[in-house]
Amino acid sequence: MTPTPFDDEIERNRRRAAEGSVNAMLDLAMGLRDRHRHTGDPADLLAGITELRTALGHVADHPVGHVLRVNLGALLLDHFEYFGEVSALHEAIAACEEAVPHLDEEDRRVAATMRAEALLVLAEHTRDVAYVDEAVASAARLPRVPEVLFVLGRALYQRYMLTDDPSVLPDAARLLDESVRTSPPGDLNHLLRLNLLGDVLQTTAEHTGDESVRERAVGCLRAAVAGAPSTSGLLLDFKVDLAAALRDRGRYTGDLAALREGVDLLRDVLAATPSGTRPWGNRCENYLIAVHGLIEQTDDLELLDQAVEIGRSARGRGSKDATIPLLLGMLHHNRFLHTRLHSDLTAAVTAFTEVVESAPYGGSDHMAALGNLGRAWLSAYRFSGDPAALSRSVTALGSAVRASAPGTPQRGTAQINHGDALYAQYELSLDPGVRAAAGHAYREAARTEESQPIARIRAARAWARTEAEAGQWSRARDAYVFAVGLLPLVVPRRLARLDQQRLLEELNGLAADAAAAALGADDPETAVRLLELGRGVLGGQVLQSRTDLSRLRAVAPELAERLRDAFARLAPSGPVMGAAADERHGLDIRLGRLLDEARALPGFGDFLAPPELADLLAATRSGPVVLINVSGFRTDALIVGPSGVTVVELPGVTPDSVAERAAEFGAALRAATRPGAGETEAQSTVTRVLGWLWDAIAEPVLRRLGHTAAPSGAWPRIWWSPVGQLALLPLHAAGRAPGATVLDRVVSAYTPTLRALGHARARYARAREDLVVVAIGDAPGAKALRGAEREASAIAALTPATSLTGPQATAGAVRAALASHASAHFACHATSEPDDPSAGHLLLHDGPLSVLDVSALDLTHVRLAVLSACETSLGTHRIPDEGLHLVSAFQLAGYPQVVGTLWQVNDRVARLVAVDLHQQIARGEDVATALHHAVRRCRERYPRTPTLWAAYLYSGQ
């Protein structure tokens, strides 16, 4: 057997006990209990109990016997926790009752407190609240020392567990908090109290959705884990509770790192727990709950299969009869949604039905089973088309709504599911009354503030859809306004960028539908506002953090500094776990409070709030911004100018037609890079798509603006801001023949949002002209770019420039150069990453400089970045409205003007365009016009090969 810290003392006491020493028998029994808690070996626990019974036999009528009885009660409590034999609990309670009248004051309090604790364990086992009442009555007569406060707080928490009454939780938390504060830090009892306080706070957060309470819970539970000795058996229990809080954090916020950390903790706990014990069953339940939460977010089918097998082996061995069947049903249903195996759906329905029929009516298990059974029947209907399955779903989910308490996340979830079933029923019957009922369910779910933000926005979007389908455009607009307003809650700054992207991917198209509904209500101004709030959300967070705080600093310098520090520490990041994650979550909550504090100051009510329409219109003073909104409801161009918004209907454009052209265009671009017969056909396809863009979008817009021919004087400018997958296509290159093209009518620029354009103009400065040229022609592991260094040399000959070439162009050197030069030109490889657009990067000599890296920079007094590389302005079809690419990253870093490319560019052509661009800039031409004419000249050189010149675009002021 592996040695433990208790072995030597146990052997010493064993020798003394053999000599008949009752004190040694007591010490031996307690040592054996400690070793049992350390190793999990039940033989030590049974031996300790036997030793105490032997000792009692020696001193049955002696006063010391009463002390022995109390200690026997302590070991019997452990016996129940391990074996689950309720007779041990009753014996423990009886032992304490017999001893209490015969003990001195201090020992009497200890015995009475232990009896109350045993009653609470018995209440949990029997689900009889009368035992809780008895425990409270007993503890209430004792002095309010930390251990008694702990029992009273635990009793209230137990009452909640038995009655589902959340009103007792605040008092439980208050008592436990007092117990923690008055306990000696570092003591094991202090850690026990701290851990239970964390449990109560976590449960409170589940009911209220209060993130600050949840984060305090995580802090308490992590402190308990950190403080527990590695030799303590309580450490495993503490880890279970911390994992539950992390699971709750992950489910509520979408933090995958929290979900994974919780699963990892529980996997370790389960591995360290003997499989034949009662704790194993309870810990298995917790593991399966955590795994289910993670699988819902990641679709990890291998983990799902493993969880199903573990759940099957755990049946009948959990802490509550209903929990394992309920979890197994959820896992089977989840697997069915991925595999469409009917056996999984049957297993899910069977499991949920079993719990509905066996669990107490109206209890949490019964309600959860009803809701899950309704969802399973809805899946059965969608799989088979059986109307009877749909009818069962509506009935079960309606019952789940009625069984759930108002103002709880459970009610919100039940209402969303009920809405889904009712909407399916509407699609079957086309009964507008049923559709209205579905809309009502969705509306109530969206307004449940205690629910997860992502669940609320799903519900709000579905509610808006029902109003739009009914032709109630004003009501649909209002519902969409509500939905879009929830976006900041869905992607808080604390989340890793990957998590933010994943959540926004689900909401792709929300802004477009919202704007279309506003246009349906004849409200183009609100349509513009909704497109501003619903697109570029992540970029908007960065722009908000870069706002000048000088006005606040003048009246509240300390508050301004705390805000500046919070913004800096919450820069976009990768996944973090442990204490670093706790700090980030807590800091984001504090940032919200700091903003509230600032907005409470006189004259600061709109501090760092989204810009009003007048501010957005002001961003168009140099030329109109054309928002192209593509929705299933309708498609329009919104021409935004200083005096207002003009709407141009585009009836020939739909989401499907845009997706079809984008796919066709992408395939042609790939084919164009392969010499041969397919290359000519690819160029024809690109030309055809450019013609469609002209006919369907660009020509109607330019006609409305009066740009019907080539300009005779100064070239007019417009800014394009396409919505959705239209951002993947080159509107600036649209056209059918010389003269009937955008390039022959206007100078084009792009902007992701009006807000970004206003920010770029606010930061633009002409004072400095110094340039750094970064050229990497032979990056490790990449195809050689023979023209990169020649491009750099040609540009350096036109204007004084610092050059970083080859091995000089490291990430550190480039960052330093960006901070010390007004302009930068990159001639190197670049790569977009469709699955993780924030990982798109420039390839430097020592590795990538990613979108996320560049976005985190905060540069001042910079002017222009030219990214003469491939795909630097190519977003992703998954979340095109976020504009996550290198061009936008450089704009967020501070550059008001950025030149980039939409696809892979030819090395030689890249050099020609870049040199032409810098020649004109050196002559005093503005950047957008210089690029415009450089591209026109390239078109003249390669008129039949649009892929060579149409990729280049300008974004910014």
Side-chain angles (χ1 to χ4, degrees):
M1 187 174 68
T2 304
T4 73
F6 312 100
D7 297 345
D8 292 343
E9 187 68 21
I10 286 173
E11 291 310 311
R12 278 194 298 270
N13 285 316
R14 196 187 302 277
R15 288 192 296 269
R16 292 176 53 227
E19 297 170 358
S21 170
V22 171
N23 287 335
M25 293 177 190
L26 173 58
D27 291 341
L28 173 59
M30 304 315 289
L32 289 167
R33 182 193 67 168
D34 291 341
R35 190 165 71 181
H36 156 74
R37 290 181 171 181
H38 178 75
T39 65
D41 184 353
D44 279 336
L45 178 60
L46 296 173
I49 291 172
T50 299
E51 202 67 36
L52 282 174
R53 294 193 194 283
T54 301
L56 275 168
H58 286 299
V59 292
D61 299 322
H62 193 279
V64 76
H66 303 302
V67 175
L68 293 172
R69 287 187 182 89
V70 174
N71 285 278
L72 175 60
L75 268 69
L76 289 168
L77 275 173
D78 281 11
H79 186 283
F80 172 78
E81 293 293 343
Y82 193 90
F83 294 104
E85 294 180 8
V86 72
S87 60
L89 269 182
H90 286 293
E91 186 180 354
I93 293 168
C96 291
E97 287 174 345
E98 183 178 351
V100 163
H102 307 287
L103 298 170
D104 60 28
E105 183 177 353
E106 179 65 20
D107 287 338
R108 186 183 309 122
R109 179 176 55 76
V110 170
T113 303
M114 185 184 299
R115 174 180 177 272
E117 289 186 274
L119 286 167
L120 294 177
V121 175
L122 185 58
E124 179 183 6
H125 178 74
T126 63
R127 303 194 65 76
D128 187 345
V129 75
Y131 290 119
V132 176
D133 295 335
E134 188 177 349
V136 170
S138 174
R141 293 191 292 267
L142 300 173
R144 293 176 72 84
V145 295
E147 53 268 37
V148 174
L149 292 167
F150 172 68
V151 169
L152 289 170
R154 181 179 174 184
L156 288 176
Y157 187 46
Q158 188 64 54
R159 186 184 300 279
Y160 158 77
M161 298 294 286
L162 296 176
T163 64
D164 293 320
D165 178 8
S167 67
V168 301
L169 292 174
D171 284 339
R174 178 181 52 78
L175 287 163
L176 291 167
D177 186 48
E178 185 179 352
S179 174
V180 168
R181 286 186 288 102
T182 54
S183 301
D187 178 75
L188 192 58
N189 286 322
H190 173 84
L191 296 175
L192 276 166
R193 294 159 194 165
L194 185 64
N195 192 76
L196 186 59
L197 174 60
D199 288 345
V200 172
L201 292 171
Q202 182 226 334
T203 304
T204 302
E206 286 180 348
H207 277 277
T208 64
D210 189 327
E211 294 182 80
S212 62
V213 174
R214 178 182 300 105
E215 293 314 310
R216 188 181 169 211
V218 172
C220 290
L221 295 166
R222 200 180 292 283
V225 168
S230 60
T231 57
S232 172
L234 291 171
L235 180 59
L236 296 181
D237 293 328
F238 291 173
K239 286 183 176 181
V240 169
D241 293 337
L242 173 59
L246 291 169
R247 179 199 71 227
D248 189 40
R249 173 197 279 176
R251 288 184 64 253
Y252 189 86
T253 67
D255 185 346
L256 275 185
L259 290 171
R260 288 195 172 101
E261 185 183 358
V263 169
D264 289 345
L265 279 169
L266 288 164
R267 185 182 290 116
D268 292 344
V269 166
L270 210 55
T273 306
S275 62
T277 64
R278 184 171 179 271
W280 186 88
N282 175 265
R283 291 165 183 175
C284 183
E285 290 173 6
N286 280 275
Y287 175 72
L288 294 177
I289 292 169
V291 166
H292 180 262
L294 181 59
I295 289 167
E296 283 187 314
Q297 304 288 343
T298 64
D299 301 334
D300 186 335
L301 294 184
E302 183 178 352
L303 183 62
L304 177 54
D305 290 340
Q306 294 170 0
V308 169
E309 292 309 310
I310 291 173
R312 286 172 175 165
S313 69
R315 287 200 66 131
R317 298 163 63 185
S319 61
K320 292 193 296 183
D321 291 340
T323 304
I324 292 295
L326 186 57
L327 286 168
L328 260 177
M330 292 162 69
L331 292 167
H332 277 295
H333 187 207
N334 203 317
R335 191 162 68 179
F336 166 77
L337 294 175
H338 290 93
T339 65
R340 290 295 189 264
L341 288 174
H342 193 261
S343 58
D344 274 317
L345 184 58
T346 300
V349 170
T350 301
F352 296 142
T353 302
E354 173 189 332
V355 178
V356 167
E357 293 175 350
S358 62
Y361 181 84
S364 58
D365 288 335
H366 183 262
M367 182 182 69
L370 266 178
N372 279 286
L373 179 61
R375 290 181 65 237
W377 280 122
L378 182 57
S379 293
Y381 164 71
R382 288 171 173 163
F383 179 71
S384 66
D386 181 3
L390 179 58
S391 179
R392 292 189 186 102
S393 174
V394 171
T395 300
L397 291 168
S399 298
V401 170
R402 290 187 293 275
S404 55
T408 62
Q410 292 79 13
R411 169 65 72 93
T413 299
Q415 286 169 322
I416 292 173
N417 292 331
H418 192 214
D420 288 343
L422 288 169
Y423 190 79
Q425 198 170 59
Y426 158 71
E427 290 180 311
L428 186 65
S429 67
L430 298 181
D431 183 340
V434 177
R435 180 179 59 202
H440 175 78
Y442 289 136
R443 182 178 70 244
E444 294 307 302
R447 290 175 172 171
T448 303
E449 295 182 0
E450 296 79 7
S451 293
Q452 300 164 267
I454 187 64
R456 296 181 66 199
I457 205 168
R458 287 173 189 144
R461 190 178 192 178
W463 161 33
R465 182 190 65 213
T466 63
E467 299 291 3
E469 289 175 350
Q472 299 293 332
W473 291 110
S474 293
R475 297 207 302 238
R477 172 201 59 198
D478 295 344
Y480 275 119
V481 166
F482 187 92
V484 171
L486 293 171
L487 274 171
L489 301 179
V490 173
V491 286
R493 297 170 189 269
R494 76 196 74 161
L495 290 185
R497 176 56 68 85
L498 265 173
D499 289 336
Q500 292 177 319
Q501 291 170 180
R502 176 176 49 80
L503 291 165
L504 286 171
E505 182 181 333
E506 179 183 338
L507 303 174
N508 186 35
L510 172 63
D513 288 344
L519 291 171
D522 196 24
D523 186 358
E525 290 78 14
T526 295
V528 170
R529 284 270 293 158
L530 287 168
L531 286 174
E532 282 298 299
L533 295 172
R535 297 186 306 146
V537 176
L538 303 181
Q541 291 179 348
V542 177
L543 293 180
Q544 185 189 49
S545 68
R546 306 282 163 82
T547 303
D548 184 7
L549 297 178
S550 57
R551 187 167 73 95
L552 178 64
R553 193 173 288 112
V555 297
E558 183 184 354
L559 176 58
E561 183 58 28
R562 281 187 287 154
L563 267 172
R564 186 202 64 76
D565 178 66
F567 279 134
R569 293 165 62 191
L570 282 168
S573 82
V576 292
M577 296 177 70
D582 297 348
E583 181 182 12
R584 193 169 175 88
H585 279 264
L587 186 61
D588 196 14
I589 293 168
R590 289 196 295 277
L591 174 61
R593 291 172 179 163
L594 291 173
L595 288 171
D596 289 342
E597 186 179 342
R599 290 166 183 162
L601 296 173
F604 284 83
D606 61 348
F607 178 70
L608 296 188
E612 295 296 330
L613 182 65
D615 300 317
L616 298 174
L617 297 181
T620 67
R621 62 182 182 274
S622 297
V625 175
V626 183
L627 306 170
I628 312 294
N629 189 61
V630 183
S631 164
F633 297 135
R634 57 185 287 168
T635 295
D636 304 86
L638 287 74
I639 303 174
V640 185
S643 60
V645 184
T646 301
V647 179
V648 179
E649 295 184 20
L650 303 173
V653 183
T654 65
D656 287 344
S657 66
V658 171
E660 181 182 340
R661 296 312 190 285
E664 185 181 10
F665 196 83
L669 290 176
R670 291 187 292 274
T673 63
R674 298 188 292 269
E679 183 180 5
T680 301
E681 177 59 30
Q683 298 297 341
S684 297
T685 299
V686 169
T687 300
R688 187 166 61 252
V689 173
L690 294 179
W692 178 82
L693 287 171
W694 171 259
D695 294 339
I697 300 171
E699 194 279 334
V701 169
L702 294 184
R703 186 178 353 110
R704 178 62 63 90
L705 288 168
H707 304 313
T708 56
S712 57
W715 282 77
R717 294 187 61 186
I718 69 170
W719 278 258
W720 300 102
S721 187
V723 175
Q725 291 195 50
L726 195 58
L728 306 177
L729 295 171
L731 279 168
H732 65 283
R736 283 216 171 268
T741 70
V742 174
L743 280 169
D744 296 319
R745 304 280 177 89
V746 295
V747 173
S748 291
Y750 286 86
T751 184
T753 60
L754 289 159
R755 180 177 29 174
L757 180 59
H759 184 77
R761 286 180 174 157
R763 295 184 72 126
Y764 178 69
R766 287 184 175 273
R768 294 168 53 200
E769 299 294 340
D770 50 317
L771 173 70
V772 59
V773 180
V774 180
I776 304 107
D778 192 18
K783 179 182 177 182
L785 294 175
R786 292 186 296 274
E789 294 193 12
R790 280 183 285 173
E791 181 177 323
S793 298
I795 293 168
L798 296 170
T799 183
T802 300
S803 293
L804 293 175
T805 59
Q808 297 174 313
T810 63
V814 168
R815 283 193 178 94
L818 294 178
S820 60
H821 292 76
S823 298
H825 182 103
F826 287 85
C828 60
H829 277 293
T831 302
S832 63
E833 297 287 350
D835 292 334
D836 179 11
S838 291
H841 57 271
L842 295 167
L843 188 55
L844 303 182
H845 178 74
D846 59 346
L849 183 69
S850 72
V851 169
L852 192 61
D853 295 332
V854 177
S855 298
L857 300 175
D858 186 7
L859 305 174
T860 57
H861 306 298
V862 290
R863 178 170 173 257
L864 167 66
V866 178
L867 309 180
S868 183
C870 299
E871 303 180 342
T872 53
S873 188
L874 179 62
T876 172
H877 71 278
R878 293 185 174 185
I879 43 173
D881 285 338
E882 284 304 298
L884 293 173
H885 44 65
L886 284 161
V887 166
S888 65
F890 272 86
Q891 285 190 285
L892 292 174
Y895 290 91
Q897 303 180 101
V898 187
V899 173
T901 61
L902 268 171
W903 54 82
Q904 292 184 18
V905 291
N906 177 275
D907 192 16
R908 179 172 180 272
V909 172
R911 185 172 77 256
L912 290 172
V913 172
V915 172
D916 192 341
L917 170 68
H918 283 282
Q919 283 177 335
Q920 294 180 76
I921 294 174
R923 295 180 188 134
E925 189 68 85
D926 69 84
V927 179
T929 303
L931 180 67
H932 173 79
H933 289 301
V935 170
R936 279 166 54 86
R937 279 187 280 274
C938 189
R939 182 185 63 174
E940 291 171 6
R941 187 185 292 253
Y942 306 106
R944 298 180 182 276
T945 318
T947 59
L948 295 179
W949 49 264
Y952 294 91
L953 58 78
Y954 169 91
S955 183
Q957 73 88 32

